[in-house]
Amino acid sequence: MAYDQHYDVIVIGTGAGGGTLAHRLAPTGKRVLILERGDYLPRERDNWDSTAVFVKGKYRAPEFWYDKHGNEFPPEVNYYVGGNTKFYGAALFRLRPEDFGELRHHDGVSPAWPIRYEDLEPYYTQAEQLYLVHGRHGEDPTEGSASGQYPHPPVEHEPRIQQLSDDLEKKGLHPFHLPIGVNLTQDENGRATHASACIRCERVDGFPCLLGAKSDAQVICVDPALKHDNVTMLTGADVRRLETDATGRTVTGVVAEFDDGSTQVFRADIVVVGCGAVNSAALLLRSANDKHPGGLANSSDTVGRHYMRHNNLALMAVSKEPNPTRFQKTLALHDWYLGADDWDFPLGGIQMLGKSDAEQIHGEAPRWAGAVLPDMPFEMLAHHAVDFWLCGEDLPLPENRVTLDQDGAIHLALDEKNNIAGLKRLQHKLQGMLGHLGMHEHHLLSHSIYLHKGMPIGATAHQAGTVRFGDDPKSSALDVNCKAHDLDNLYVVDTSFFPSIGAVNPSLTAIANALRVGDHIAARLS
C-alpha cells in the first residue's frame, strides 16, 4: 500500500534531522512516509567489539568517494535506521550565542546565521528533553542562557576524571560536565541503578548501543513515531532523484531504488531531505532537470559548496597513575572557545573521548611501531590512557564542495589546512598542562583511529554546510524555515543547512532545528 498512496509528507533519512522531524509530525495525524536507505543495525556482539567497529570498520558503508585529486577514500558514513547517530558519542552541545553571529578567525570570517541563538533556544531546551540529555546548565561560562535546566543531572565523573576536573580548576579553568544523551539513572555514588537502561560501560563513544540506552534517533524518535498509524517507514529505499512538475516549482516524485533492483516513485505534498550533508547535496545535484540545470534548489550555485567537518584532533595522554575509568566521556573545557589571553581568535573546545582499550591502541600499532613507550604493552598503555577530543571550527569555503562526476560518483574537495592555527594552539595549551594534570609531559599521542586512520577527508562524522540557509536567494539554497528558495514544497533538515559550524558537536543543533522546522511544516499542513 505504501507504493500507491499519496502522502502529506515524505521524509528521506532517519538521522538527527529526518528522524527527529518524523517524530515531531507523527502526532499530527498527517500521513508521513519515511524512506531509509539502510535497514536496522543488526544487534550482535560485534556492536561492542573494538576490532569490528574501529579497526575493521564493519558497519561503515561499503562505498568510496573521491577527493579533489581523484583518489578514492572510504567515508565515515553508516546507512542504518537512525543514521550516523547510531555511532555518535551522544555529546549534545548547544552552539554558543556568538556562533550565530559573525566571528573573525585567524584565517577568515565565520558568517552570521539568519536566526539568532534566542530563536533556537526554546527548541534547544525541547531537544535536550527529548534526547534525555544529562548535564548542568550554568557550569560552562561560554554557554548561552537556557529557559530550562537539563532534564537529568550530569553523568558523574569517575575518580580519575574527577581528579582531572579538580586539577583543571586549580589552574583557574572552568571544566564542566559534558552534556550527553543516555538513558541513565544513577545512585548516590554515580553508579547505574539496577533499573537503569544504561550501565555506564566503556562502549558509548563510536559504538552502537546493544541495550538501546544511547539517545540515538532510532531509539528516541523513529521507533516511537512508527507507533502512530499515520507513519510508515520503508527501509532499503535508496532515493536517487527528485522529480518536479513542468514549472520546476514543485517536487512531484521521489524516485527510490530498492535492494531487489526495483524502482518506485513516491508522491507527497511536502518532501523533506535529511540524508546527511554530502548525500543531501548529491541528491539535489543528481536531480537536475531543464528547469534546474545545476541541480534542485541551486539557482544560487551554493548546493554542495561550503562543506565543513570541524578541525578535530583525537589525542591520548598517558597518565602516571592508572586510569581505570569506564565511562570517560563526562568532562569538557571551553575556556579558550572564543579566544585566549595570548590569541585574539577562537581556539575551540576540549572534551573527553570514550576510553581507549588495547584493541584500539593495537590498531594504531603500524603508526606508533614501538616508538612510543616501547617497553609498555598495549594493555598497560590502555590502562594508563586518558583520551581527549579537540574540536576547532573550520570555515565554509566555497571551494570545499561536493560534486558528481559523469558516472554519478561523489567527489569531495577539501582544504585540510583551513583555519587550523587555533586548533594547534589548543593542542599546545593541553600539551603544556600535562605535567600539572598527572600525565607524562611528552606523551600526547595521536589517536587517529577515531579520525578515520589519520585521513582528515574520510572523517565525515561532523559533515555540514552544503545546502546552507539564509535570507538572500542569491547566496543560499534554503530560506529561514529550511525550505528551498527555488521550490514550494522541498525542505532540508540535516546539518546541510548550517552557514557555519562552530566548534561543538552539531547533532543537538540539527535536532533542535528539526523540531523548529517540524512545527513550521505542521502549521503549513493544518
Side-chain angles (χ1 to χ4, degrees), residues 366-525:
R367 303 183 73 248
W368 294 347
V372 178
L373 301 175
D375 298 326
M376 183 177 283
F378 293 138
E379 290 78 7
M380 186 177 295
L381 186 57
H383 193 50
H384 286 256
V386 179
D387 308 272
F388 297 93
W389 177 267
L390 279 58
C391 187
E393 182 168 2
D394 61 336
L395 301 177
L397 306 181
E399 59 269 25
N400 285 355
R401 65 183 301 197
V402 178
T403 56
L404 303 176
D405 63 24
Q406 292 181 340
D407 298 323
I410 291 174
H411 289 244
L412 182 59
L414 176 66
D415 176 3
E416 296 172 5
K417 299 187 182 300
N418 170 15
N419 199 41
I420 62 173
L423 183 69
K424 288 183 176 179
R425 284 180 174 261
L426 191 63
Q427 181 181 4
H428 182 73
K429 294 279 190 187
L430 178 59
Q431 181 83 50
M433 293 191 298
L434 289 181
H436 300 283
L437 302 177
M439 318 279 185
H440 290 281
E441 294 187 32
H442 303 295
H443 294 143
L444 189 61
L445 316 172
S446 170
H447 198 8
S448 67
I449 199 162
Y450 277 100
L451 285 170
H452 212 77
K453 294 280 189 164
M455 296 170 54
I457 195 169
T460 57
H462 289 191
Q463 57 182 281
T466 57
V467 196
R468 54 169 31 182
F469 78 158
D471 294 320
D472 186 356
K474 294 180 180 179
S475 59
S476 60
L478 309 173
D479 69 14
V480 71
N481 292 314
C482 291
K483 184 188 76 66
H485 289 299
D486 302 342
L487 294 109
D488 297 325
N489 68 335
L490 177 64
Y491 293 79
V492 181
V493 295
D494 51 38
T495 51
S496 302
F497 84 95
F498 282 35
S500 66
I501 196 171
V504 290
N505 312 52
S507 297
L508 189 74
T509 300
I511 292 164
N513 183 66
L515 296 175
R516 182 182 73 93
V517 175
D519 282 353
H520 163 79
I521 292 175
R524 174 176 171 172
L525 288 170

Side-chain angles (χ1 to χ4, degrees), residues 24-25 32 57 84 116 121-122 141 181 199 275 281 332 364 385 392 471 511 517-518:
R24 192 64 150 196
L25 296 178
V32 178
N84 284 330
R116 301 171 303 157
E121 196 286 323
I199 60 173
C275 309
E364 301 273 18
D471 294 320
I511 292 164
V517 175

